[in-house]
Amino acid sequence: MDSRTVALIRTTFKAVAAEEGGPDKLARSFYAILFTEYPHIRDLFPAALGAQRDRLIKAIGYTVERLEEPDRLLPFLAQLGRDHRKYGVTAEHYAAVSRSLRLALGGYAGTELWTDEVERAWEEGLDLIASTMTTAAEQETAPPVWTGTVVEHRAVLRNLSIVRLRLDQPMTYAAGQYMSVQIPSRPRMWRYLSAAVPPNPQGEIEFHIRSITGGWVGPAVVGHTVVGDRWLLGSPLGGLGVLRNTRRKMLMVGCGTGIAPLRAQLLAMTQRRSNPRVHLFVGGQHPCDLYDLATLSALSVAHKWLTVTPVVESIENPWWYADSGDPAPELPALQRRQVGQIGKVVAAAGDWSDHDVQIVGAPPMVQTTKFRLMAAGVPTRNIRHDPLF
Ligand SMILES: Cc1cc2nc3c(=O)[nH]c(=O)nc-3n(C[C@H](O)[C@H](O)[C@H](O)COP(=O)(O)OP(=O)(O)OC[C@H]3O[C@@H](n4cnc5c(N)ncnc54)[C@H](O)[C@@H]3O)c2cc1C
């Protein structure tokens, strides 16, 4: 795609995104056109579109930002295409989405901004996205969806659960990847969850799920999951992972359930002969939020290449935490617990400019930590995180 086409796409999207309420209005207009003109497509989407709308705009923003980085964008789109097989999408669906999005953008941007040249640029961009996704989907031989049975549900905190499943068919994924998941009580409400263990021939997989107030899926998982539930999983996504035989030192920063894909990678690394040095900062608001410290401590005891530093924002546990003391005061091999905002603590803790960095957690934490590290001299190309939607 030439640079003029990219510039035209970016300018239109930025103009829409910069306006107060613009992204939401664009998403509403897009879905209204899509469902009016192609009513049969409505069945592919959940009844409540709130999270879907937000995700659509973030996904477009993510793609638009990377149009000039095909090395990163095309693998991402290919993964998304493989994942979309779970919806049973066809070339006709992609064409309907492309046309509806162009109509929504055109209507929203107005005639001054939405020229024929701009429309052609968007058509070219959306064609590239659709063809990359459909080609990857057609070439994939793994199942479009995996089914798994819940074999354990552990309520670790009032608002956080660990759920283990046994898949009917083992999934091949890289430690550090995430997948979209659908639980039985929330049909069509797929949510991304990161696998907390590496792939294994037994087909066992573990997820750490936090319940967000007002959320559709998190509270249902934490409140109602029982052994025997059947979940659906889409194809693996994401590019986190530590290369074999790399000598580059690693800095990992994970907050809350963000620890899941990091611990999966550490567990995978324990099976290797040699590993680079890894410094993991594990953060949470309260001490009880560091719910997996015992595992990390055990890994650190057994593996000299791993250093683990706990970070909390407050040394007090919340009032609802029944076990009022520090939940893990005596764990061996951990660095001294730090108190403060995690990005600030990590940036001040050393020179990370020659490290490969992974950051996982809620989007604001990822952004803040990334900016802190960049300001401290870490090159942007050394910092990786999953898409923030
Ligand atoms: C790559 C990736 C990996 C993920 N891995 C995990 C994981 O391993 N474990 C896990 O628990 N979650 C993970 N998530 C988040 C998860 O996919 C859902 O977004 C989250 O569980 C909320 O879903 P929900 O249905 O409960 O809330 P929704 O119904 O989707 O959202 C309800 C409201 O809460 C807001 N909201 C959503 N998430 C947050 C948040 N983190 N903080 C504050 N407000 C929020 C929404 O904007 C919305 O207004 C991951 C997300 C991504 C993008």
Side-chain angles (χ1 to χ4, degrees), residues 55-67:
R55 229 199 266 172
L56 170 83
I57 295 299
K58 286 184 176 151
I60 298 174
Y62 183 88
T63 307
V64 165
E65 264 174 40
R66 286 162 182 76
L67 283 173

Side-chain angles (χ1 to χ4, degrees), residues 242 250-254 262 265-266 269 278-281 358:
V242 178
M250 286 286 318
L251 167 65
M252 292 180 169
V253 188
L262 301 179
Q265 293 176 69
L266 297 174
M269 289 166 77
V278 179
H279 196 140
L280 167 68
F281 286 81
Q358 292 187 25

Side-chain angles (χ1 to χ4, degrees), residues 51 54 178 191-194 208-210 212-219 257 260 362 386-387 389:
D54 192 40
Y178 59 96
R191 294 291 184 271
Y192 294 135
L193 295 177
S194 303
H208 298 186
I209 305 108
R210 185 180 286 281
I212 306 284
T213 308
W216 282 94
V217 177
T257 56
D386 284 326
F389 49 83

Side-chain angles (χ1 to χ4, degrees), residues 8-179:
L8 289 172
I9 293 175
R10 281 216 179 115
T11 314
T12 350
F13 189 70
K14 271 195 186 146
V16 173
E19 270 199 40
E20 176 81 28
D24 190 53
K25 283 187 206 153
L26 173 67
R28 281 176 193 278
S29 162
F30 161 72
Y31 282 114
I33 295 168
L34 183 68
F35 297 153
T36 308
E37 303 230 347
Y38 309 92
H40 58 288
I41 289 184
R42 181 67 183 93
D43 288 347
L44 296 177
F45 291 84
L49 280 172
Q52 192 73 34
R53 268 200 295 271
D54 192 40
R55 229 199 266 172
L56 170 83
I57 295 299
K58 286 184 176 151
I60 298 174
Y62 183 88
T63 307
V64 165
E65 264 174 40
R66 286 162 182 76
L67 283 173
E68 279 170 315
E69 297 173 63
D71 296 357
R72 292 169 87 178
L73 181 62
L74 298 182
F76 165 75
L77 292 173
Q79 285 185 344
L80 213 56
R82 288 191 279 272
D83 178 50
H84 271 59
R85 292 174 308 142
K86 68 182 187 256
Y87 300 121
V89 292
T90 62
E92 180 228 342
H93 295 132
Y94 282 105
V97 165
S98 169
R99 184 165 167 271
S100 304
L101 188 56
R102 281 183 282 122
L103 283 172
L105 277 162
Y108 195 76
T111 43
E112 227 172 274
L113 197 58
W114 194 255
T115 60
D116 287 348
E117 193 188 9
V118 169
E119 168 138 28
R120 276 197 304 277
W122 272 93
E123 200 170 355
E124 188 182 331
L126 292 167
D127 279 353
L128 172 76
I129 294 171
S131 64
T132 311
M133 288 175 71
T134 42
T135 306
E138 281 160 15
Q139 288 172 350
E140 180 61 53
T141 52
V145 74
W146 279 257
T147 40
T149 306
V150 173
V151 292
E152 187 184 343
H153 173 202
R154 200 147 44 91
V156 183
L157 293 172
R158 183 176 83 151
N159 58 356
L160 198 150
S161 286
I162 294 183
V163 177
R164 275 198 310 117
L165 297 115
R166 178 158 301 138
L167 303 178
D168 295 344
Q169 182 178 356
M171 180 192 282
T172 306
Y173 60 92
Q177 285 195 297
Y178 59 96
M179 42 288 287

